[in-house]
């Protein structure tokens, strides 16, 4: 089955009791049993819920996996992945990533004796130098948030497999439409479904997709034992979002390209970070592992002052100043004070995340209107 058909049909079938074409929101905490241990496959809604079940199957199909596991947020999904580890284990992680992920690793899990090493993974060979006998997981994000670096998933997966190390890819920026990490050898594809999969900025949600039976069993145990599960209404909204992911992503890609090219041609703009440019350092890898380049990008101005950046951030009208990304409406953000404020300044600066960097989540509005909005804000 082709991608668009899968996004619409996978995991769902008409409701057996009514024929409802949309999976109902099973707003219930528990399920009545015929006699102790004899039930219809559902006992208690933290463990299983039919709406979540349909979504988990749909997400598994969308990522060419076998199992989907849903969580109350993207960070709850990432939290579950790290809970596969024990005190003394080590993680090699990408040096550019969502600030909240960095905070979870360094401020929560380091206290439990898990060690994180942050590495520039734009060259996969850099990972090998950091691997020790205690390394149990390689954590990647590609494209990275917010510098749009590209990590070669296949190359990293082959290093991990040789050494029996798990590999996870945070696939939030690409979405399952543009990139399928499991096909490239990763063990886990992780999403903040809050973003492109949900697509309408109306729900916070996360998921992990895997192929391996044993890994699924361990993650399902953590999902049930720790309990960070999403409610059925949120699952319904994500299931609905998934059905239009392919058409939305096509427009995000078209608009993304137009805006990246326009920014690059603007005399007041200095650097534009977007993986679709042929001179992006890992453009060839992006072309190899992605079906398009998406709607996320960052840029700096020739006037590299915070004041100049603040002026642009406060003058856009269609691009709303807000955290998050991947919705139909365009957003503008300031990573240094917003999404990445929890990363120490000296760490951010090492990989180019300066105080004046501006991030765009290009929505699916008319590109001409978006360009006019950026123009008036940059000229302000
Ligand atoms: O917000 P939540 O659903 O918990 O997802 C966390 C998360 C995980 N991974 C990536 C790559 C992300 O970008 C995020 C959340 N990011 C933002 C809120 C943001 O504006 O970058």
């Amino acid at each position: 089955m082709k991608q668009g058909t899968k996004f619409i049909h996978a995991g769902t079938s008409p409701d057996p009791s009514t024929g409802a074409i949309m999976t109902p929101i099973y707003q219930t905490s528990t399920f009545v049993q015929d006699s102790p241990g004899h039930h219809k496959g559902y006992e208690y809604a933290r463990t299983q819920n039919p709406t979540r079940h349909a979504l988990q199957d749909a997400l598994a199909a969308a990522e060419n996996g076998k199992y989907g596991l849903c969580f109350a947020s993207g960070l709850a999904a990432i939290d579950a992945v790290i809970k596969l580890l024990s005190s003394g284990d080590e993680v090699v992680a990408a040096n550019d990533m969502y600030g909240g992920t960095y905070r979870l690793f360094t401020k929560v899990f380091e206290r439990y004796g898990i060690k994180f090493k942050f590495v520039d993974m734009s060259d996969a060979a850099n990972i090998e130098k950091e691997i020790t006998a205690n390394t149990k997981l390689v954590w990647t994000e590609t494209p990275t948030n917010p510098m749009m670096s590209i990590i070669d998933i296949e190359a990293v997966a082959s290093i991990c497999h040789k050494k029996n190390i798990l590999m996870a890819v945070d696939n939030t920026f690409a979405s399952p439409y543009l990139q399928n990490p499991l096909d490239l050898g990763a063990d886990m594809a992780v999403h903040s479904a809050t973003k492109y999969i949900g697509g309408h900025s109306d729900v916070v949600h996360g998921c992990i997709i895997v192929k391996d039976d044993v890994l699924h069993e361990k993650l399902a145990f953590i999902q049930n034992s720790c309990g960070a599960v999403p409610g059925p209404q949120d699952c319904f909204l994500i299931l609905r979002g998934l059905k239009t992911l392919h058409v939305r992503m096509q427009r995000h890609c078209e608009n993304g390209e137009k805006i990246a090219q326009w920014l690059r041609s603007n005399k007041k703009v200095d650097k534009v970070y977007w993986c679709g440019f042929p001179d992006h350092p890992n453009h060839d890898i992006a072309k190899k592992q992605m079906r398009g380049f998406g709607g996320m990008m960052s840029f700096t101005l020739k006037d590299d002052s915070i004041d100049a950046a603040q002026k642009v951030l406060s003058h856009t009208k269609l691009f709303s100043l807000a955290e998050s990304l991947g919705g139909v409406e365009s957003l503008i953000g300031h990573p240094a004070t917003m999404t990445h404020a929890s990363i120490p300044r000296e760490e951010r600066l090492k990989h180019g995340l300066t105080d004046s960097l501006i991030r765009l989540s290009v929505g699916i509005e008319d590109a001409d209107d978006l360009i006019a909005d950026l123009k008036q804000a940059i000229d302000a």
Side-chain angles (χ1 to χ4, degrees):
M1 206 187 280
K2 296 237 166 113
Q3 236 190 352
T5 318
K6 232 173 8 179
F7 290 167
I8 291 171
H9 292 284
T12 57
S13 46
D15 181 52
S17 58
T18 63
I21 192 161
M22 289 298 140
T23 307
I25 300 166
Y26 284 89
Q27 193 74 52
T28 182
S29 61
T30 195
F31 301 85
V32 176
Q33 307 195 7
D34 298 330
S35 60
H38 291 97
H39 50 75
K40 298 177 174 65
Y42 298 95
E43 294 155 276
Y44 184 62
R46 174 169 24 79
T47 319
Q48 321 102 338
N49 174 284
T51 319
R52 192 176 93 210
H53 192 155
L55 175 60
Q56 293 189 152
D57 287 353
L59 290 167
E63 276 289 19
N64 300 332
K66 190 166 169 193
Y67 304 103
L69 296 123
C70 290
F71 293 86
S73 68
L75 276 179
I78 298 168
D79 172 87
V81 172
I82 306 303
K83 282 176 177 158
L84 290 165
L85 310 180
S86 304
S87 174
D89 288 347
E90 293 180 8
V91 179
V92 179
N95 66 346
D96 185 41
M97 61 166 70
Y98 170 54
T101 309
Y102 180 89
R103 180 177 57 198
L104 176 69
F105 289 177
T106 57
K107 295 284 190 319
V108 179
F109 281 112
E110 278 189 355
R111 288 194 290 111
Y112 291 83
I114 295 168
K115 193 169 167 191
F116 294 86
K117 294 176 176 173
F118 297 96
V119 180
D120 174 7
M121 293 192 185
S122 55
D123 179 359
N126 291 343
I127 295 169
E128 276 182 290
K129 293 176 227 154
E130 301 299 334
I131 290 176
T132 72
N134 295 329
T135 308
K136 297 288 159 55
L137 173 73
V138 170
W139 179 268
T140 64
E141 197 181 283
T142 182
T144 65
N145 180 358
M147 299 310 298
M148 302 302 299
S149 296
I150 297 293
I151 296 168
D152 187 335
I153 298 173
E154 215 165 11
V156 176
S158 107
I159 294 170
C160 291
H161 290 166
K162 269 188 233 140
K163 312 213 176 218
N164 217 9
I165 295 167
L166 287 171
M167 181 195 180
V169 178
D170 184 331
N171 202 27
T172 300
F173 266 37
S175 89
Y177 175 73
L178 293 181
Q179 179 171 275
N180 299 117
L182 303 183
D183 289 348
L184 301 165
D187 299 292
M188 288 170 270
V190 181
H191 287 273
S192 168
T194 314
K195 313 293 169 8
Y196 286 109
I197 299 178
H200 295 77
S201 309
D202 51 10
V203 58
V204 172
H205 192 106
C207 61
I208 308 170
I209 299 103
V210 300
K211 279 184 174 163
D212 183 73
D213 296 344
V214 175
L215 186 55
H216 169 252
E217 210 173 295
K218 287 181 184 170
L219 287 166
F221 179 82
I222 293 167
Q223 183 193 41
N224 186 43
S225 305
C226 301
V229 292
Q233 169 111 17
D234 289 354
C235 292
F236 175 88
L237 288 171
I238 297 295
L239 197 52
R240 185 169 72 166
L242 182 64
K243 289 178 195 290
T244 55
L245 179 65
H246 49 304
V247 274
R248 286 185 286 107
M249 287 310 294
Q250 284 159 17
R251 180 65 86 89
H252 281 296
C253 289
E254 282 167 29
N255 282 359
E257 175 159 13
K258 284 182 189 161
I259 286 173
Q261 300 286 10
W262 179 83
L263 281 171
R264 198 171 234 199
S265 69
N266 187 291
K267 289 190 183 68
K268 293 185 180 165
V269 172
D270 187 20
K271 294 192 181 76
V272 184
Y273 299 92
W274 180 64
C275 58
F277 290 131
D279 58 356
H280 179 286
N282 278 348
H283 177 69
D284 288 347
I285 296 166
K287 249 174 48 183
K288 182 182 75 165
Q289 67 189 18
M290 298 171 76
R291 298 183 188 91
F293 307 111
M296 293 303 298
M297 67 197 64
S298 297
F299 69 98
T300 55
L301 299 169
K302 292 230 168 88
D303 175 355
D304 195 31
S305 67
I306 299 179
D307 277 359
Q310 293 285 10
K311 236 179 227 161
V312 175
L313 288 156
S314 55
H315 276 85
T316 53
K317 296 188 172 77
L318 284 174
F319 280 86
S320 302
L321 178 63
E323 304 210 7
S324 204
L325 58 109
V328 291
E329 62 286 299
S330 295
L331 299 181
I332 190 166
H334 184 227
T337 58
M338 296 166 70
T339 49
H340 294 70
S342 51
I343 303 178
R345 187 166 182 271
E346 60 278 14
E347 288 302 315
R348 286 195 276 108
L349 292 178
K350 277 186 204 160
H351 56 272
L353 204 174
T354 61
D355 294 337
S356 56
L357 188 85
I358 296 170
R359 191 187 77 178
L360 298 181
S361 170
V362 176
I364 63 170
E365 302 95 331
D366 192 293
D368 291 342
D369 291 330
L370 295 178
I371 288 171
D373 188 37
L374 287 172
K375 184 172 181 339
Q376 64 78 27
I378 290 171
D379 290 341

